[in-house]
Amino acid sequence: MTDTQHVNELAKLERRKVRRASLFEKELVAAAVKKSFTMLNPATMARNPVMFVTEVGAAVSTLVLALNIYQRSGAVFYTLWVTLILWITVLFANFAEALAEARGKAQADTLRKTRRKTMARRVVNGRTEDVSSDELTAGDIVYVSAGEVIPNDGEIVEGVATVDESAITGESAPVVREAGGDRSGVTGGTRVLSDFIKVQITAGAGESFLDRMIALVEGAVRQKTPNELALTVTLAGLTLAFLMVPG
């Protein structure tokens, strides 16, 4: 097996590992379960008015349940079920939100690993020197050969190579990048699978495509879908109904 084939096999194994990653990974679920209870803090719940009302209803139902048990009222069973439904609704909503946040953080962490510091062979006065990718600035020229990671965003000025861009685009098939034309752009963090290229850096440290992606993932605010909006209205109506039903 050649070096290029070996690199291709390693890249395939890494992509398969990423695909196997499930939304309900043990670490993500454990963190989401823990956070779903810490989010019961009224100051946190106040950011979601509907679920805050639901939590208030659950607290009131709990007090009514305790009063019914103390008075040995016949409505204990009914009040118990109402209380359980309300608390389960609140905890499930918190769990879903916490799981989505954990998933987003995991994606950002994956991008950070892709954007890890790499060594680059920078050309200076006709000679090469090994430098960290963080030391590169726009205009620097670097050599990248098969099996190496492209240190930063740039344009190919010499050579042609196949590049694994699955970490950026999700596409498993490698793409061909060559000097000249509209296929000369390369992204930092992607891996050269074959041949050799000379790249002119176009972005400094913290300005690459991956850096912008990480910032977008971390600062993203997910908009609610129409189904979620309808669900919040339904929950608000059910909560009010539960509160108005006599014990």
Side-chain angles (χ1 to χ4, degrees):
M1 180 181 292
T2 65
D3 292 340
T4 300
Q5 291 174 331
H6 180 65
V7 171
N8 288 338
E9 288 298 322
L10 290 177
K12 288 180 181 178
L13 290 175
E14 186 175 350
R15 289 194 296 269
R16 289 170 184 169
K17 183 178 179 180
V18 172
R19 290 194 193 101
R20 285 197 297 266
S22 169
L23 174 64
F24 296 101
E25 292 179 5
K26 185 182 297 183
E27 294 80 4
L28 296 182
V29 172
V33 169
K34 181 179 179 180
K35 190 172 182 179
S36 64
F37 284 94
T38 60
M39 289 173 63
L40 292 175
N41 186 340
T44 302
M45 295 296 296
R47 295 179 300 179
N48 188 338
V50 173
M51 297 315 302
F52 178 71
V53 172
T54 307
E55 183 182 32
V56 171
V60 172
S61 296
T62 303
L63 293 176
V64 173
L65 175 62
L67 183 61
N68 288 343
I69 294 175
Y70 177 77
Q71 296 178 346
R72 297 183 179 180
S73 172
V76 172
F77 184 76
Y78 172 79
T79 308
L80 173 63
W81 276 107
V82 171
T83 303
L84 288 177
I85 291 173
L86 290 176
W87 280 119
I88 289 173
T89 300
V90 173
L91 289 173
F92 181 78
N94 289 350
F95 173 77
E97 182 178 350
L99 186 61
E101 291 180 0
R103 188 66 175 177
K105 291 180 180 178
Q107 291 174 344
D109 291 339
T110 300
L111 290 175
R112 286 194 188 92
K113 291 178 182 179
T114 303
R115 180 61 186 89
R116 66 188 184 279
K117 293 182 180 180
T118 57
M119 297 304 296
R121 290 181 290 162
R122 181 170 60 185
V123 180
V124 179
N125 298 326
R127 303 177 61 181
T128 61
E129 62 177 9
D130 293 335
V131 298
S132 170
S133 58
D134 289 343
E135 299 178 28
L136 296 174
T137 59
D140 286 345
I141 302 294
V142 297
Y143 287 131
V144 188
S145 58
E148 296 179 345
V149 175
I150 298 174
N152 214 333
D153 297 357
E155 295 283 336
I156 299 176
V157 295
E158 181 182 324
V160 57
T162 55
V163 181
D164 178 14
E165 297 184 345
S166 59
I168 307 299
T169 64
E171 174 58 49
S172 59
V175 297
V176 177
R177 298 299 180 194
E178 58 186 350
D182 57 355
R183 295 189 298 174
S184 60
V186 290
T187 304
T190 58
R191 185 181 297 275
V192 175
L193 299 180
S194 66
D195 302 307
F196 164 88
I197 53 177
K198 181 189 290 186
V199 179
Q200 181 178 21
I201 301 300
T202 58
E207 301 174 352
S208 67
F209 177 74
L210 271 178
D211 291 318
R212 293 194 296 270
M213 284 184 62
I214 293 171
L216 287 174
V217 170
E218 291 180 332
V221 177
R222 191 177 66 89
Q223 299 297 323
K224 290 186 177 181
T225 64
N227 288 339
E228 289 176 314
L229 293 174
L231 179 60
T232 56
V233 174
T234 302
L235 289 175
L238 290 175
T239 303
L240 292 175
F242 283 137
L243 293 175
M244 290 186 294
V245 171

